[in-house]
Amino acid sequence: MGTRDGDGSGRSGERNAGRGPADRAGAGDGDPTAQAARTGTVCPTDGPDGPDGPSPSAVERATLRLREAVPTEAAPVDADPGGPGRPDEPPRYAPAWLRLREPADAAARAHDLLDPLRIRLANLPSRADGLVVHDLGCGTGSMGRWLAPLLDGAQHWVLHDRDPYLLHFAAVGAPRSAADGSRVTVETRRGDLARLTPDALAGAGLVTASALLDVLTAEEVGTLAAACAAAGCPALLTLSVAGRVELAPAHPLDAEIAEAFNDHQRRTGLLGPDAVTSAAEAFAAHGATVRAHPSPWRLGPGEAALAEQWLRGWVGAAVEQRPELREPAGRYLEERLAACAAGELRVVVHHTDLLALCRPTGGSS
């Protein structure tokens, strides 16, 4: 699982990363990133620390690949998808894209869902190691950097992704303290959502994900809901695209581009803009109380770099879905990019955050 964040050529966002929690393959005692994270130490890197990690070498850049299933919210392609990486290597999301979108993601997430989440967490049985949080499709770890400092108490974050490259950055950039100064530790697990089981979430107090639901199938969302319900833990699933975009000033092609983009998101059985509805139904079927709240990106002159990359991916996906749009969409993109560069464009990309309060095991919600 992962940020196809996720949200272009790949998402989030935050995921936006390959898709994939669940097994511990590649993240056990032989994983130095996981070992350092579990002890609360920082893994050294060859470049500057932080969510973007070290600058990739020419060889690394040649192996960076985005998902074959193109974008949700524009992630720029950093390299030829047919580069020299191994055929079985999981597709990768460029850390630079995930870093670019992280401030907008943080500003958009729905704080109104945090109070009901805190109430539920306060009623959980206490654990010596604190709250255990499983972050699915963690990408470079932006969800943890946002949420951990907003919650009191010791926390242990289990970061799931299919991409070991992103897992390394997530561990290095993880927060070290909670809202009240309590310790925050992390470990990494490499795996895929298809193998997510209740056993993988044993002991979990919370499951999180960012910019993930819309790049899952209905079956995968059902698997996620069933696993959370069996574990009896709440799930905070943020920044799922809602299928609505507002641009100002308006343009005659806005609606057609948006429609083509939404159709593109639903290709190959992915849920796209239908994800939140599908997830809400899946969690409710397991007896969870579900709350949803808008979490739009609001992009203006101060977010011009993000708006530019988002525009390129948004229009590119629409053209891939409807090739007859190529010429008018090309002119449209030129006009929109010019307005963006001039500080004249405003964009609202609508998302929805979802909080599912599953019934605690052995109790009622």
Side-chain angles (χ1 to χ4, degrees), residues 155-190:
Q155 301 166 43
H156 180 69
W157 283 68
V158 184
L159 308 177
H160 297 259
D161 207 284
R162 199 171 84 171
D163 188 342
Y165 187 74
L166 295 178
L167 283 173
H168 171 74
F169 293 150
V172 168
R176 302 301 169 191
S177 60
D180 59 359
S182 298
R183 190 181 185 202
V184 175
T185 57
V186 301
E187 68 175 279
T188 61
R189 295 188 187 180
R190 184 181 175 190

Side-chain angles (χ1 to χ4, degrees), residues 72 213-216 240-242 262 265-266 270-276:
T72 49
L213 290 179
D214 46 85
V215 289
L216 300 182
S240 298
V241 295
N262 289 341
Q265 280 206 296
R266 296 184 177 103
L270 302 183
L271 288 168
D274 308 316
V276 169

Side-chain angles (χ1 to χ4, degrees), residues 83-176:
R86 297 200 321 267
D88 60 342
E89 185 177 301
R92 288 173 171 170
Y93 287 80
W97 162 249
L98 300 181
R99 182 182 67 172
L100 182 63
R101 63 171 292 165
E102 185 167 344
D105 288 348
R109 291 191 184 99
H111 282 252
D112 287 359
L113 296 179
L114 294 183
D115 280 346
L117 173 62
R118 291 184 181 107
I119 292 170
R120 170 54 60 87
L121 296 179
N123 291 324
L124 293 177
S126 60
R127 292 174 50 109
D129 56 351
L131 174 69
V132 177
V133 184
H134 286 252
D135 188 22
L136 309 182
C138 67
T140 59
S142 68
M143 184 67 170
R145 283 189 293 275
W146 175 77
L147 183 59
L150 295 175
L151 300 177
D152 287 334
Q155 301 166 43
H156 180 69
W157 283 68
V158 184
L159 308 177
H160 297 259
D161 207 284
R162 199 171 84 171
D163 188 342
Y165 187 74
L166 295 178
L167 283 173
H168 171 74
F169 293 150
V172 168
R176 302 301 169 191

Side-chain angles (χ1 to χ4, degrees), residues 318-330:
V319 171
E320 182 173 330
Q321 180 67 21
R322 298 186 189 175
E324 68 274 13
L325 287 175
R326 185 170 304 278
E327 288 190 15

